Every structure is written in C-alpha cells, then in structure tokens.
C-alpha cells in the first residue's frame, strides 16, 4: 500500500503553547487528506477534511480556530493545535487519499499537554 | 443517516480457531467498504476495499466479503500476531468530501 508519514509520533507540550503535526504522502499525490482524533479504545472521530489548495471542511463541534489545518501541496498537510490545553491531549491520526479511493493512514501522533 | 456497526466488540480466539467479524452498514449509496487493522498506538493499516455485493478479497488468513447490508471479515486459523483491532469503514456516493464513516471496531485477541 501507499506510504503516509506522520510526524512527530509523540509530543509533550506546555499548556497554552501551539503544536504542529505534519502528514506527508510519500509515494502518491494526496488530493484529499483527513484528520482524526482517537480516544482510548474508541474509534476514529473525523475532525476535518482538506482538499489540496482549498480550505478545510470541519466536522460539527470541531473548533476551526483551535485546530488549524493547512493542505498547501499534494503531499503535505499540517494540523496545528493552538493554545493547547490538557483536554486536547489525545491520539491524532491523518490519512491521505488520491481522488477518494483508498485512504492510507499515518502512524499517529500522541499529544500530551501538561 | 449513514451508519456502521461492528460486532462483536471484542473477541478472544485460541490459535487456529477460525471466526468471522461482522460489519453492518446503512448508507444512502455505497461507494466503497474498507477494512483496516489497527495495532495499539499505531495508525490503521489498510487491508481491503470492497465495492459491490458479492465481491470477495483475500490476503493470507483474512478474507473479506460484502453483501448489500453487511460485510464479514473471516479469519482462518488465526495466529497470535493477528491480534489487533479491526475497523470497518464505508464511503457514501454523493459524499462530495469522500468522507469515511468508521465503525467502533472489533478488538481481537488470539491466544497461543
């Protein structure tokens, strides 16, 4: 399958700071990228969908000013958690798709806000 | 409303004991049904895509089948390394954003 690289795999930050997570498709052009959040022993909760070169579409209840998504190229999307607080601690996962066919996932990022 | 339900929630098997995982779905029009495997602390790993009723796909000890209402993931003679959470997702026709709807997964534990 295609390779999607997500970085960093783990990050610890202080409350009030911002954290950027990168998602790269290494061997294909990702026209669509998805960002998910996953709580322990629960399924993936879609946060937003982004198409290259356009603004992200956020799911209901997801604060767009807090979770900034940029999809500037066909191989890179970033999620920035702004002014992070302990309740933002979670496992964040990106996935990438070429024209809506199979989506391939990154390794995930464990964010801990202290 | 589009919905995906997976059962059972958790499953314990002895090594070599074959079984099936179920994914029931309700969707306005199915564009594709996807199976993923997820290990703890990792992102989901793509397994299969099924597009139409009657379609089957196989990979090693896994076989996925699809009907108009559900999909099964059959595991034949499982090994301990097959232990993981198996996720099912559907993509609806007309979903302009190609959004995936995930089930809550089946946590499989295979005992040696």
């Amino acid at each position: 399958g295609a390779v999607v690289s997500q970085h960093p795999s783990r990050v610890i930050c202080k409350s009030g700071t911002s954290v950027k997570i990168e998602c790269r498709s290494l061997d294909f052009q990702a026209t669509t990228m998805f960002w998910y959040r996953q709580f322990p022993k629960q399924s993936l909760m879609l946060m937003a969908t982004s198409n290259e070169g356009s603004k992200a579409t956020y799911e209901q209840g997801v604060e767009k000013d807090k979770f900034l998504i940029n999809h500037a190229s066909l191989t890179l999307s970033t999620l920035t958690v702004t002014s992070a607080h302990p309740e933002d601690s979670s496992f964040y996962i990106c996935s990438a798709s070429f024209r809506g066919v199979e989506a391939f996932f990154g390794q995930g990022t464990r964010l801990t806000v202290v | 409303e589009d919905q995906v339900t997976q059962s059972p929630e958790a499953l314990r098997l002895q090594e070599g004991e074959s079984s099936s995982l179920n994914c029931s779905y309700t969707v306005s029009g199915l564009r594709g049904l996807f199976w993923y495997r997820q290990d703890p602390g990792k992102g989901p790993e793509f397994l299969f895509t099924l597009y139409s009723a009657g379609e089957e796909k196989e990979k090693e000890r896994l076989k996925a089948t699809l009907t108009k209402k559900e999909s099964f993931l059959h595991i034949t003679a499982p090994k301990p390394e097959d232990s993981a959470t198996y996720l099912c997702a559907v993509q609806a026709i007309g979903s302009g954003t190609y959004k995936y709807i995930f089930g809550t997964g089946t946590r499989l534990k295979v005992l040696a």
Side-chain angles (χ1 to χ4, degrees), chain A residues 32 34 36 38 41 43-44 46 49 57 59 91 93 97 99-108, chain B residues 31 34 36 38 41-46 49 51 87 91 96-100 102-105 107:
Chain A
T32 305
F34 306 88
Y36 297 86
Q38 188 174 34
K41 294 189 177 181
S43 192
L44 287 76
L46 180 65
T49 303
T57 301
E59 293 299 300
F91 191 56
I93 314 175
S97 169
R99 294 191 179 172
V101 192
E102 291 93 354
F104 298 93
F105 285 81
Q107 307 94 315
Chain B
R31 189 169 186 273
F34 309 87
Y36 291 87
Q38 186 176 26
K42 302 280 183 66
E45 174 191 343
F46 173 77
T49 306
Y51 291 106
L87 296 168
Q91 193 179 55
T97 59
Y98 299 120
K99 191 161 65 174
Y100 287 69
F102 277 89
T104 51
R107 294 192 308 278

Side-chain angles (χ1 to χ4, degrees), chain B residues 57-95:
Chain B
K57 293 245 177 107
E58 281 189 74
K59 179 181 178 181
E60 295 180 356
R61 295 178 292 281
L62 300 176
K63 179 180 176 180
T65 61
L66 180 65
T67 72
K68 288 186 178 180
K69 293 182 179 180
E70 58 192 348
S71 176
F72 290 95
L73 184 65
H74 307 278
I75 303 178
T76 303
K79 297 182 178 181
E81 53 261 42
D82 294 323
S83 297
T85 295
Y86 291 85
L87 296 168
C88 169
V90 298
Q91 193 179 55
I93 292 173
S95 167

